[in-house]
Amino acid sequence: MADLTTNLAGIRSPNPFWLASAPPTNTGYQVQRAFEAGWGGAVWKTLGDPIINTSSRFAAIHFNGQRVAGFNNIELITDRPLEVNLQEIYETKKRFPNHTLVASLMVEPKRDKWHEIVKRVEAAGVDGLELNFGCPHGMAERGMGSASGQQPDLVEAQTAWAKEAAQTPVIVKLTPNITDITATAKAAVRGGADAISLINTINSLAGVDLDTWNTIPHVGGKGAHGGYCGPAVKPIALNMVAECARNNFVYVPISGIGGIATWKDAVEFLLMGASNVQICTAAMHHGFRIVEDLIDGLTLYLEEKELESVHDLIGKSISKFSDWGDLDLNYAVVARIDTDTCIECNKCHIACEDTSHQCIERLTDAAGATYLQVREEDCVGCNLCAIVCPVEGAIEMVELPSREVPMSWNQRQAALAELGAVSELGDQDKEGL
Ligand SMILES: Cc1cc2nc3c(=O)[nH]c(=O)nc-3n(C[C@H](O)[C@H](O)[C@H](O)COP(=O)(O)O)c2cc1C
Ligand code: SF4
Ligand code: SF4
């Protein structure tokens, strides 16, 4: 059987599936049940000075029949006393010594505050620490969470303060509410982070009630922005993980978070450079038992690919992720319609006609039957028709043999610049060329 064990900056785990710091990891009771169910690790609900939470705090976007396509919350960090959490962490680690227990921390950006909490939490026996620089609401208004996580200098300084006191590996959890995620990832590395994790939630307002005109959710008629997560944020999270993974200055391991609900999602994050994954919304939606499918799916996939361990997957797609300027402008695909499977719903024709390049034709054969055909010479290979087609496999995007050598925008500009330099030379200079 394939080896599912992972190692994130020295933090070992029986499998790559951790519960993210959130409601599922709020108490010892929950984390212990999660470990019994099979989760490899858990990041405890963020510890700090306990807060008071609002009543009414979650909302979800249900999209076209899919419940919880996106999830929104205005919950803050733990509302339980630190001593209670530490006692339960101690008991949980004692009962499950081989499972991974990481404590998430958030305190004011002051050196002594970081030293104090790190020491107290490590005394409870955790395997590592995760610094929460990501929570976008409530705590941010008090100068913590994403308020400090959006400032690279504060990320660097606080990471360094935590590291001064820490004996266990320090993971820095990043906020996605920033233009360039690598700016704060690099700051965490400069501060001495052993690993980074991303993403925390994205600033959001789930909706407005059309009858009451209240925000969704609202607290007695008033709302505030929350944090968005769940399946809808997966592409954003995956991109941010990939951007960090391919950046030479972000050379620490990555824990991937954001919209992961299936083993396939997890594999995508691993391929893009994550050493493990963390999950919140999918566990809140379906319960701890989803970990069985995650483990089975990943195990079968590794066997199918004839790979011995999860490590053989990590980062395998990083080199396939680049800048737009490096893409081959001479590569071409075209759409081909399989008339045997096409049900002639006409969706592809409308899409191409109204919003793409008007190259799907409705033709009539000798027997008088209509069919659709792509005029390949005008097809730009945008994929839109295949995306809107409701029949799997009715439209295939086919690679055309390239008539020209690969040429990216960057190569093209470099070649043009060279030509320009040559044309600026005098005739005498050109003789030697
Ligand atoms: C209700 C709720 C509470 C959360 N609380 C915390 C928290 O205390 N600390 C933290 O680092 N992240 C917290 N998060 C963020 C999650 O750990 C995770 O980063 C985010 O939900 C993205 O993962 P997902 O798409 O699997 O949910 C919370 C998320 C939710 C939905
Ligand atoms: S790939 Fe784009 S351009 Fe080509 S047929 Fe489909 S919609 Fe039209
Ligand atoms: S969208 Fe698909 S099924 Fe519908 S007409 Fe086009 S190819 Fe056929």
Side-chain angles (χ1 to χ4, degrees), residues 65 75 94 187 244 342 367 377 382:
E75 178 176 291
K94 217 166 133 197
C244 289
C342 168
E377 61 274 24
C382 71

Side-chain angles (χ1 to χ4, degrees), residues 224-269:
H225 84 270
Y228 203 46
C229 51
V233 310
K234 193 194 102 183
I236 298 165
L238 190 59
N239 173 56
M240 290 187 169
V241 164
E243 286 296 351
C244 289
R246 76 184 178 111
N247 189 300
N248 289 337
F249 297 99
V250 187
Y251 44 78
V252 296
I254 298 170
S255 183
I257 319 170
I260 298 165
T262 66
W263 67 266
K264 288 182 181 172
D265 298 333
V267 168
E268 289 178 59
F269 276 78

Side-chain angles (χ1 to χ4, degrees), residues 20-23 45-46 58 71 73 75-78 104 130 132 173 199-201 229-231 233 257-260 278-282 284:
S21 174
K45 174 78 185 165
T46 302
F58 302 157
F71 193 82
N73 86 90
E75 178 176 291
L76 308 190
I77 64 171
T78 186
S104 168
E130 186 180 77
N132 179 353
K173 184 168 180 180
I199 59 173
N200 208 309
T201 52
C229 51
V233 310
I257 319 170
I260 298 165
Q278 298 185 32
I279 294 172
C280 164
T281 303
M284 291 180 75

Side-chain angles (χ1 to χ4, degrees), residues 25-248:
T25 60
N26 199 35
T27 63
Y29 167 76
Q30 290 166 283
V31 174
Q32 291 179 30
R33 282 189 56 238
F35 287 165
E36 277 164 5
W39 290 86
V43 184
W44 204 272
K45 174 78 185 165
T46 302
L47 306 173
D49 282 335
I51 48 76
I52 302 168
N53 263 310
T54 56
S55 175
S56 183
R57 53 183 100 154
F58 302 157
I61 304 298
H62 309 305
F63 187 74
N64 265 356
Q66 185 189 337
R67 291 197 72 76
V68 197
F71 193 82
N72 174 86
N73 86 90
I74 53 169
E75 178 176 291
L76 308 190
I77 64 171
T78 186
D79 47 17
R80 307 162 75 228
L82 185 59
E83 300 70 35
V84 175
N85 278 305
L86 294 182
Q87 180 62 30
E88 291 178 17
I89 287 174
Y90 173 75
E91 286 159 9
T92 304
K93 190 61 207 173
K94 217 166 133 197
R95 240 194 101 197
F96 292 90
N98 298 325
H99 287 69
T100 313
L101 197 47
V102 170
S104 168
L105 309 177
M106 187 194 288
V107 291
E108 286 170 64
K110 291 182 180 152
R111 181 185 234 147
D112 58 328
K113 290 272 182 195
W114 279 107
H115 285 186
E116 187 193 330
I117 191 133
V118 164
K119 284 179 192 153
R120 288 188 72 183
V121 168
E122 284 193 335
V126 292
D127 299 299
L129 306 167
E130 186 180 77
L131 316 187
N132 179 353
F133 297 148
C135 187
H137 44 263
M139 305 311 289
E141 289 154 31
R142 301 170 205 187
M144 292 176 264
S146 69
S148 56
Q150 285 161 335
Q151 296 186 45
D153 53 338
L154 273 181
V155 170
E156 181 178 343
Q158 292 185 97
T159 306
W161 295 334
K163 279 293 289 179
E164 284 166 3
Q167 304 288 320
T168 62
V170 170
I171 308 165
V172 172
K173 184 168 180 180
L174 301 174
T175 175
N177 299 310
I178 185 161
T179 316
D180 176 7
I181 193 74
T182 64
T184 44
K186 284 187 278 192
V189 173
R190 283 197 303 274
D194 298 290
I196 53 170
S197 57
L198 60 153
I199 59 173
N200 208 309
T201 52
I202 302 171
N203 283 338
S204 59
L205 172 56
V208 177
D209 187 299
L210 297 188
D211 292 324
T212 62
W213 302 352
N214 278 330
T215 62
I216 304 172
H218 71 91
V219 179
K222 259 223 167 96
H225 84 270
Y228 203 46
C229 51
V233 310
K234 193 194 102 183
I236 298 165
L238 190 59
N239 173 56
M240 290 187 169
V241 164
E243 286 296 351
C244 289
R246 76 184 178 111
N247 189 300
N248 289 337

Side-chain angles (χ1 to χ4, degrees), residues 376-396:
E376 291 187 5
E377 61 274 24
D378 294 325
C379 171
V380 300
C382 71
N383 298 344
L384 181 63
C385 52
I387 289 168
V388 302
C389 175
V391 181
E392 197 63 45
I395 299 183
E396 196 187 350

Side-chain angles (χ1 to χ4, degrees), residues 332-336 374 376-377 379-381 396-400:
V333 289
V334 291
R336 264 186 211 151
V374 176
E376 291 187 5
E377 61 274 24
C379 171
V380 300
E396 196 187 350
M397 299 306 299
V398 185
E399 185 178 333
L400 292 180

Side-chain angles (χ1 to χ4, degrees), residues 319-374:
S319 62
K320 294 175 182 287
F321 184 65
S322 190
D323 290 328
W324 188 92
D326 293 330
L327 307 183
D328 178 10
L329 298 174
N330 290 331
Y331 175 82
V333 289
V334 291
R336 264 186 211 151
I337 296 173
D338 176 7
T339 45
D340 289 338
T341 46
C342 168
I343 56 169
E344 284 199 55
C345 68
N346 210 36
K347 278 195 85 72
C348 59
H349 178 247
I350 294 169
C352 189
E353 200 66 17
D354 290 358
T355 64
S356 194
H357 286 70
Q358 302 80 45
C359 53
I360 297 183
E361 291 175 327
R362 178 168 283 280
L363 304 172
T364 310
D365 66 16
T370 57
Y371 64 98
L372 291 159
Q373 193 175 60
V374 176

